[in-house]
Amino acid sequence: MGSGFYAQSFTHVGQWGTHVDPPAHFVKGLHTVDQISAKEMILPLVVIDVHEKVASNPDYTITMQDIKNWEKRNGSIPKGAFVAMRTDWCRRWPSMEAMQNKDANGTAHYPGWSLEVVKYLYEDRQITASGHETTDTDPGIATSKDDYSLETYILKQNHYQIEFLKNLDEVPEIGTLIVVAFPKPKGGSGFPARAFAILP
């Protein structure tokens, strides 16, 4: 108000809201947040849209047929891309109850990736990173059993991922860049991220 300056201090959990999961989040000794290079933060964006299938089946996991259909329309997924799975699950935020979508037995029902697809993307297409709108890489029925094998696979490859993405319905399947920005605390296990697309 005319003198001094405005400053705040913040204390928060690394993995909350839209956030980055570096490899070290699951695998000791691999890259932490500060070791993710700037070149890994500005990437061609590929959006795999499965939201209609998820609308009729909340347990849907992305399939190789979904990938083949995308590549038939757009060509091969480019090397070094960021691949995002659009499910429109973000519309349930900020209700964690709606995000988890648990049944009477406490089993969560939300969509996820599949091992066949993530192996294809990271090993064959050699993408740089991936992301999704849900709280986890693995589908809800798996995480309800403490099965995080898909997230473990991705992070073991020394690649990062972004969770809690939103607004994927506003970008095309291909032809944009994604900028994934976050601070770089030394040895960071994760951090809230600001991801945005640059459209042509």
Side-chain angles (χ1 to χ4, degrees), residues 152-183:
T152 301
Y153 167 81
I154 292 172
L155 300 184
K156 270 188 174 180
Q157 311 309 306
N158 221 10
H159 291 273
Y160 75 88
Q161 66 172 16
I162 301 293
E163 297 189 313
F164 285 94
L165 286 170
K166 61 181 287 189
N167 298 330
L168 291 173
D169 58 320
E170 297 182 17
V171 293
E173 290 187 319
I174 194 171
T176 67
L177 292 176
I178 188 170
V179 179
V180 185
F182 43 82

mmCIF file of all heavy atoms in Angstrom, residues 152-183:
data_model
loop_
_atom_site.group_PDB
_atom_site.id
_atom_site.type_symbol
_atom_site.label_atom_id
_atom_site.label_comp_id
_atom_site.label_asym_id
_atom_site.label_seq_id
_atom_site.Cartn_x
_atom_site.Cartn_y
_atom_site.Cartn_z
ATOM 1 N N THR A 152 4.897 -46.960 -12.449
ATOM 2 C CA THR A 152 6.244 -47.449 -12.164
ATOM 3 C C THR A 152 7.015 -47.683 -13.448
ATOM 4 O O THR A 152 8.196 -47.307 -13.566
ATOM 5 C CB THR A 152 6.187 -48.755 -11.345
ATOM 6 O OG1 THR A 152 5.502 -48.506 -10.122
ATOM 7 C CG2 THR A 152 7.582 -49.278 -11.047
ATOM 8 N N TYR A 153 6.366 -48.273 -14.443
ATOM 9 C CA TYR A 153 7.026 -48.521 -15.722
ATOM 10 C C TYR A 153 7.512 -47.211 -16.336
ATOM 11 O O TYR A 153 8.675 -47.102 -16.761
ATOM 12 C CB TYR A 153 6.082 -49.233 -16.705
ATOM 13 C CG TYR A 153 6.630 -49.217 -18.103
ATOM 14 C CD1 TYR A 153 7.600 -50.132 -18.505
ATOM 15 C CD2 TYR A 153 6.247 -48.223 -19.005
ATOM 16 C CE1 TYR A 153 8.157 -50.073 -19.775
ATOM 17 C CE2 TYR A 153 6.800 -48.156 -20.271
ATOM 18 C CZ TYR A 153 7.754 -49.081 -20.651
ATOM 19 O OH TYR A 153 8.318 -49.001 -21.897
ATOM 20 N N ILE A 154 6.633 -46.218 -16.419
ATOM 21 C CA ILE A 154 7.002 -44.943 -17.054
ATOM 22 C C ILE A 154 8.163 -44.285 -16.314
ATOM 23 O O ILE A 154 9.158 -43.872 -16.935
ATOM 24 C CB ILE A 154 5.789 -43.996 -17.095
ATOM 25 C CG1 ILE A 154 4.732 -44.533 -18.066
ATOM 26 C CG2 ILE A 154 6.215 -42.579 -17.502
ATOM 27 C CD1 ILE A 154 3.416 -43.763 -18.042
ATOM 28 N N LEU A 155 8.062 -44.180 -15.017
ATOM 29 C CA LEU A 155 9.097 -43.485 -14.261
ATOM 30 C C LEU A 155 10.412 -44.254 -14.269
ATOM 31 O O LEU A 155 11.493 -43.646 -14.244
ATOM 32 C CB LEU A 155 8.614 -43.219 -12.834
ATOM 33 C CG LEU A 155 7.340 -42.360 -12.740
ATOM 34 C CD1 LEU A 155 6.992 -42.073 -11.283
ATOM 35 C CD2 LEU A 155 7.446 -41.068 -13.529
ATOM 36 N N LYS A 156 10.343 -45.571 -14.354
ATOM 37 C CA LYS A 156 11.571 -46.373 -14.447
ATOM 38 C C LYS A 156 12.337 -46.099 -15.736
ATOM 39 O O LYS A 156 13.540 -46.358 -15.816
ATOM 40 C CB LYS A 156 11.246 -47.867 -14.351
ATOM 41 C CG LYS A 156 11.250 -48.412 -12.942
ATOM 42 C CD LYS A 156 11.121 -49.930 -12.944
ATOM 43 C CE LYS A 156 11.271 -50.500 -11.537
ATOM 44 N NZ LYS A 156 11.143 -51.977 -11.541
ATOM 45 N N GLN A 157 11.641 -45.611 -16.762
ATOM 46 C CA GLN A 157 12.310 -45.286 -18.020
ATOM 47 C C GLN A 157 13.044 -43.948 -17.939
ATOM 48 O O GLN A 157 13.632 -43.476 -18.904
ATOM 49 C CB GLN A 157 11.291 -45.224 -19.173
ATOM 50 C CG GLN A 157 10.350 -46.403 -19.277
ATOM 51 C CD GLN A 157 11.058 -47.726 -19.267
ATOM 52 O OE1 GLN A 157 11.964 -47.977 -20.062
ATOM 53 N NE2 GLN A 157 10.653 -48.617 -18.365
ATOM 54 N N ASN A 158 12.997 -43.313 -16.758
ATOM 55 C CA ASN A 158 13.594 -41.997 -16.518
ATOM 56 C C ASN A 158 12.875 -40.895 -17.308
ATOM 57 O O ASN A 158 13.491 -39.938 -17.764
ATOM 58 C CB ASN A 158 15.092 -41.975 -16.797
ATOM 59 C CG ASN A 158 15.869 -41.181 -15.743
ATOM 60 O OD1 ASN A 158 15.332 -40.794 -14.714
ATOM 61 N ND2 ASN A 158 17.136 -40.947 -16.016
ATOM 62 N N HIS A 159 11.571 -41.068 -17.456
ATOM 63 C CA HIS A 159 10.717 -40.056 -18.073
ATOM 64 C C HIS A 159 9.735 -39.547 -17.024
ATOM 65 O O HIS A 159 9.429 -40.246 -16.062
ATOM 66 C CB HIS A 159 9.940 -40.658 -19.249
ATOM 67 C CG HIS A 159 10.804 -41.000 -20.422
ATOM 68 N ND1 HIS A 159 11.113 -40.090 -21.407
ATOM 69 C CD2 HIS A 159 11.440 -42.154 -20.760
ATOM 70 C CE1 HIS A 159 11.888 -40.666 -22.310
ATOM 71 N NE2 HIS A 159 12.107 -41.920 -21.941
ATOM 72 N N TYR A 160 9.233 -38.336 -17.245
ATOM 73 C CA TYR A 160 8.281 -37.770 -16.300
ATOM 74 C C TYR A 160 6.871 -37.836 -16.857
ATOM 75 O O TYR A 160 6.654 -38.083 -18.051
ATOM 76 C CB TYR A 160 8.652 -36.325 -15.953
ATOM 77 C CG TYR A 160 8.355 -35.298 -17.031
ATOM 78 C CD1 TYR A 160 7.107 -34.670 -17.097
ATOM 79 C CD2 TYR A 160 9.327 -34.923 -17.964
ATOM 80 C CE1 TYR A 160 6.828 -33.714 -18.069
ATOM 81 C CE2 TYR A 160 9.059 -33.965 -18.931
ATOM 82 C CZ TYR A 160 7.810 -33.367 -18.984
ATOM 83 O OH TYR A 160 7.537 -32.429 -19.956
ATOM 84 N N GLN A 161 5.903 -37.587 -15.992
ATOM 85 C CA GLN A 161 4.514 -37.507 -16.420
ATOM 86 C C GLN A 161 3.827 -36.346 -15.711
ATOM 87 O O GLN A 161 4.308 -35.845 -14.691
ATOM 88 C CB GLN A 161 3.770 -38.806 -16.136
ATOM 89 C CG GLN A 161 3.603 -39.111 -14.663
ATOM 90 C CD GLN A 161 2.699 -40.310 -14.407
ATOM 91 O OE1 GLN A 161 2.410 -41.104 -15.289
ATOM 92 N NE2 GLN A 161 2.217 -40.437 -13.183
ATOM 93 N N ILE A 162 2.689 -35.921 -16.279
ATOM 94 C CA ILE A 162 1.872 -34.872 -15.680
ATOM 95 C C ILE A 162 0.498 -35.454 -15.378
ATOM 96 O O ILE A 162 -0.122 -36.076 -16.247
ATOM 97 C CB ILE A 162 1.718 -33.659 -16.619
ATOM 98 C CG1 ILE A 162 3.088 -33.064 -16.961
ATOM 99 C CG2 ILE A 162 0.811 -32.599 -15.988
ATOM 100 C CD1 ILE A 162 3.812 -32.422 -15.800
ATOM 101 N N GLU A 163 0.029 -35.221 -14.156
ATOM 102 C CA GLU A 163 -1.299 -35.689 -13.756
ATOM 103 C C GLU A 163 -2.230 -34.507 -13.531
ATOM 104 O O GLU A 163 -1.791 -33.379 -13.355
ATOM 105 C CB GLU A 163 -1.195 -36.553 -12.499
ATOM 106 C CG GLU A 163 -0.378 -37.813 -12.750
ATOM 107 C CD GLU A 163 -0.411 -38.805 -11.616
ATOM 108 O OE1 GLU A 163 -0.230 -38.403 -10.446
ATOM 109 O OE2 GLU A 163 -0.592 -40.003 -11.907
ATOM 110 N N PHE A 164 -3.536 -34.789 -13.575
ATOM 111 C CA PHE A 164 -4.564 -33.755 -13.403
ATOM 112 C C PHE A 164 -4.522 -32.709 -14.524
ATOM 113 O O PHE A 164 -4.706 -31.515 -14.271
ATOM 114 C CB PHE A 164 -4.418 -33.042 -12.049
ATOM 115 C CG PHE A 164 -4.881 -33.825 -10.865
ATOM 116 C CD1 PHE A 164 -3.988 -34.582 -10.135
ATOM 117 C CD2 PHE A 164 -6.197 -33.794 -10.444
ATOM 118 C CE1 PHE A 164 -4.382 -35.301 -9.011
ATOM 119 C CE2 PHE A 164 -6.610 -34.504 -9.310
ATOM 120 C CZ PHE A 164 -5.709 -35.262 -8.607
ATOM 121 N N LEU A 165 -4.287 -33.138 -15.755
ATOM 122 C CA LEU A 165 -4.390 -32.206 -16.878
ATOM 123 C C LEU A 165 -5.845 -31.787 -17.060
ATOM 124 O O LEU A 165 -6.766 -32.474 -16.628
ATOM 125 C CB LEU A 165 -3.881 -32.861 -18.164
ATOM 126 C CG LEU A 165 -2.369 -33.037 -18.301
ATOM 127 C CD1 LEU A 165 -2.060 -33.919 -19.513
ATOM 128 C CD2 LEU A 165 -1.667 -31.689 -18.431
ATOM 129 N N LYS A 166 -6.060 -30.665 -17.736
ATOM 130 C CA LYS A 166 -7.426 -30.228 -18.024
ATOM 131 C C LYS A 166 -7.448 -29.518 -19.381
ATOM 132 O O LYS A 166 -6.406 -29.212 -19.952
ATOM 133 C CB LYS A 166 -7.961 -29.297 -16.939
ATOM 134 C CG LYS A 166 -7.170 -28.008 -16.771
ATOM 135 C CD LYS A 166 -7.724 -27.119 -15.669
ATOM 136 C CE LYS A 166 -9.025 -26.473 -16.080
ATOM 137 N NZ LYS A 166 -9.470 -25.434 -15.110
ATOM 138 N N ASN A 167 -8.658 -29.312 -19.892
ATOM 139 C CA ASN A 167 -8.892 -28.571 -21.141
ATOM 140 C C ASN A 167 -8.311 -29.243 -22.386
ATOM 141 O O ASN A 167 -8.058 -28.577 -23.390
ATOM 142 C CB ASN A 167 -8.360 -27.137 -21.039
ATOM 143 C CG ASN A 167 -9.045 -26.338 -19.957
ATOM 144 O OD1 ASN A 167 -10.224 -26.571 -19.645
ATOM 145 N ND2 ASN A 167 -8.328 -25.401 -19.363
ATOM 146 N N LEU A 168 -8.133 -30.554 -22.337
ATOM 147 C CA LEU A 168 -7.647 -31.247 -23.538
ATOM 148 C C LEU A 168 -8.692 -31.229 -24.651
ATOM 149 O O LEU A 168 -8.357 -31.459 -25.813
ATOM 150 C CB LEU A 168 -7.258 -32.689 -23.189
ATOM 151 C CG LEU A 168 -6.016 -32.835 -22.309
ATOM 152 C CD1 LEU A 168 -5.822 -34.286 -21.889
ATOM 153 C CD2 LEU A 168 -4.775 -32.323 -23.035
ATOM 154 N N ASP A 169 -9.937 -30.945 -24.305
ATOM 155 C CA ASP A 169 -10.985 -30.832 -25.321
ATOM 156 C C ASP A 169 -10.849 -29.562 -26.144
ATOM 157 O O ASP A 169 -11.518 -29.412 -27.163
ATOM 158 C CB ASP A 169 -12.368 -30.864 -24.653
ATOM 159 C CG ASP A 169 -12.555 -29.757 -23.634
ATOM 160 O OD1 ASP A 169 -11.592 -29.469 -22.874
ATOM 161 O OD2 ASP A 169 -13.647 -29.179 -23.577
ATOM 162 N N GLU A 170 -9.954 -28.674 -25.747
ATOM 163 C CA GLU A 170 -9.798 -27.403 -26.439
ATOM 164 C C GLU A 170 -8.609 -27.391 -27.404
ATOM 165 O O GLU A 170 -8.329 -26.370 -28.029
ATOM 166 C CB GLU A 170 -9.645 -26.268 -25.424
ATOM 167 C CG GLU A 170 -10.879 -26.075 -24.547
ATOM 168 C CD GLU A 170 -10.736 -24.923 -23.581
ATOM 169 O OE1 GLU A 170 -9.846 -24.066 -23.792
ATOM 170 O OE2 GLU A 170 -11.523 -24.867 -22.612
ATOM 171 N N VAL A 171 -7.900 -28.510 -27.508
ATOM 172 C CA VAL A 171 -6.750 -28.569 -28.416
ATOM 173 C C VAL A 171 -6.938 -29.708 -29.417
ATOM 174 O O VAL A 171 -7.606 -30.703 -29.126
ATOM 175 C CB VAL A 171 -5.422 -28.762 -27.649
ATOM 176 C CG1 VAL A 171 -5.104 -27.536 -26.813
ATOM 177 C CG2 VAL A 171 -5.474 -29.992 -26.764
ATOM 178 N N PRO A 172 -6.373 -29.578 -30.627
ATOM 179 C CA PRO A 172 -6.506 -30.635 -31.628
ATOM 180 C C PRO A 172 -5.657 -31.853 -31.299
ATOM 181 O O PRO A 172 -4.817 -31.821 -30.385
ATOM 182 C CB PRO A 172 -6.017 -29.953 -32.914
ATOM 183 C CG PRO A 172 -5.077 -28.892 -32.445
ATOM 184 C CD PRO A 172 -5.638 -28.406 -31.141
ATOM 185 N N GLU A 173 -5.860 -32.922 -32.054
ATOM 186 C CA GLU A 173 -5.113 -34.163 -31.838
ATOM 187 C C GLU A 173 -3.615 -33.983 -32.047
ATOM 188 O O GLU A 173 -2.801 -34.654 -31.426
ATOM 189 C CB GLU A 173 -5.612 -35.254 -32.784
ATOM 190 C CG GLU A 173 -6.995 -35.767 -32.484
ATOM 191 C CD GLU A 173 -7.339 -36.955 -33.360
ATOM 192 O OE1 GLU A 173 -7.012 -36.936 -34.564
ATOM 193 O OE2 GLU A 173 -7.930 -37.913 -32.837
ATOM 194 N N ILE A 174 -3.260 -33.098 -32.959
ATOM 195 C CA ILE A 174 -1.848 -32.865 -33.288
ATOM 196 C C ILE A 174 -1.719 -31.453 -33.845
ATOM 197 O O ILE A 174 -2.706 -30.843 -34.255
ATOM 198 C CB ILE A 174 -1.338 -33.910 -34.308
ATOM 199 C CG1 ILE A 174 0.190 -33.904 -34.387
ATOM 200 C CG2 ILE A 174 -1.990 -33.725 -35.662
ATOM 201 C CD1 ILE A 174 0.785 -35.037 -35.195
ATOM 202 N N GLY A 175 -0.499 -30.950 -33.838
ATOM 203 C CA GLY A 175 -0.259 -29.641 -34.440
ATOM 204 C C GLY A 175 -0.030 -28.524 -33.443
ATOM 205 O O GLY A 175 0.089 -27.363 -33.826
ATOM 206 N N THR A 176 0.045 -28.857 -32.154
ATOM 207 C CA THR A 176 0.314 -27.834 -31.146
ATOM 208 C C THR A 176 1.565 -28.202 -30.351
ATOM 209 O O THR A 176 2.061 -29.329 -30.428
ATOM 210 C CB THR A 176 -0.869 -27.681 -30.168
ATOM 211 O OG1 THR A 176 -0.994 -28.882 -29.394
ATOM 212 C CG2 THR A 176 -2.170 -27.429 -30.908
ATOM 213 N N LEU A 177 2.038 -27.229 -29.602
ATOM 214 C CA LEU A 177 3.134 -27.473 -28.663
ATOM 215 C C LEU A 177 2.587 -27.396 -27.247
ATOM 216 O O LEU A 177 1.677 -26.604 -26.969
ATOM 217 C CB LEU A 177 4.230 -26.409 -28.826
ATOM 218 C CG LEU A 177 5.044 -26.405 -30.101
ATOM 219 C CD1 LEU A 177 5.995 -25.206 -30.105
ATOM 220 C CD2 LEU A 177 5.834 -27.701 -30.255
ATOM 221 N N ILE A 178 3.138 -28.203 -26.374
ATOM 222 C CA ILE A 178 2.794 -28.078 -24.959
ATOM 223 C C ILE A 178 4.009 -27.532 -24.221
ATOM 224 O O ILE A 178 5.155 -27.921 -24.494
ATOM 225 C CB ILE A 178 2.350 -29.431 -24.347
ATOM 226 C CG1 ILE A 178 1.821 -29.223 -22.930
ATOM 227 C CG2 ILE A 178 3.462 -30.457 -24.375
ATOM 228 C CD1 ILE A 178 1.148 -30.440 -22.320
ATOM 229 N N VAL A 179 3.741 -26.593 -23.342
ATOM 230 C CA VAL A 179 4.768 -26.063 -22.453
ATOM 231 C C VAL A 179 4.410 -26.523 -21.049
ATOM 232 O O VAL A 179 3.320 -26.230 -20.557
ATOM 233 C CB VAL A 179 4.832 -24.528 -22.505
ATOM 234 C CG1 VAL A 179 5.897 -24.003 -21.535
ATOM 235 C CG2 VAL A 179 5.121 -24.054 -23.931
ATOM 236 N N VAL A 180 5.298 -27.270 -20.440
ATOM 237 C CA VAL A 180 5.077 -27.776 -19.089
ATOM 238 C C VAL A 180 6.053 -27.050 -18.170
ATOM 239 O O VAL A 180 7.255 -27.288 -18.223
ATOM 240 C CB VAL A 180 5.293 -29.293 -19.011
ATOM 241 C CG1 VAL A 180 4.944 -29.797 -17.617
ATOM 242 C CG2 VAL A 180 4.458 -30.021 -20.052
ATOM 243 N N ALA A 181 5.520 -26.160 -17.350
ATOM 244 C CA ALA A 181 6.384 -25.320 -16.517
ATOM 245 C C ALA A 181 6.203 -25.653 -15.040
ATOM 246 O O ALA A 181 5.087 -25.889 -14.583
ATOM 247 C CB ALA A 181 6.057 -23.851 -16.764
ATOM 248 N N PHE A 182 7.318 -25.675 -14.324
ATOM 249 C CA PHE A 182 7.293 -25.894 -12.881
ATOM 250 C C PHE A 182 8.632 -25.444 -12.307
ATOM 251 O O PHE A 182 9.648 -25.428 -13.001
ATOM 252 C CB PHE A 182 7.043 -27.372 -12.542
ATOM 253 C CG PHE A 182 7.820 -28.343 -13.395
ATOM 254 C CD1 PHE A 182 9.147 -28.642 -13.114
ATOM 255 C CD2 PHE A 182 7.216 -28.944 -14.492
ATOM 256 C CE1 PHE A 182 9.866 -29.529 -13.905
ATOM 257 C CE2 PHE A 182 7.932 -29.836 -15.293
ATOM 258 C CZ PHE A 182 9.254 -30.128 -15.000
ATOM 259 N N PRO A 183 8.660 -25.035 -11.034
ATOM 260 C CA PRO A 183 9.933 -24.693 -10.384
ATOM 261 C C PRO A 183 10.834 -25.924 -10.305
ATOM 262 O O PRO A 183 10.391 -27.045 -10.554
ATOM 263 C CB PRO A 183 9.501 -24.222 -8.986
ATOM 264 C CG PRO A 183 8.074 -23.834 -9.143
ATOM 265 C CD PRO A 183 7.508 -24.784 -10.166
#
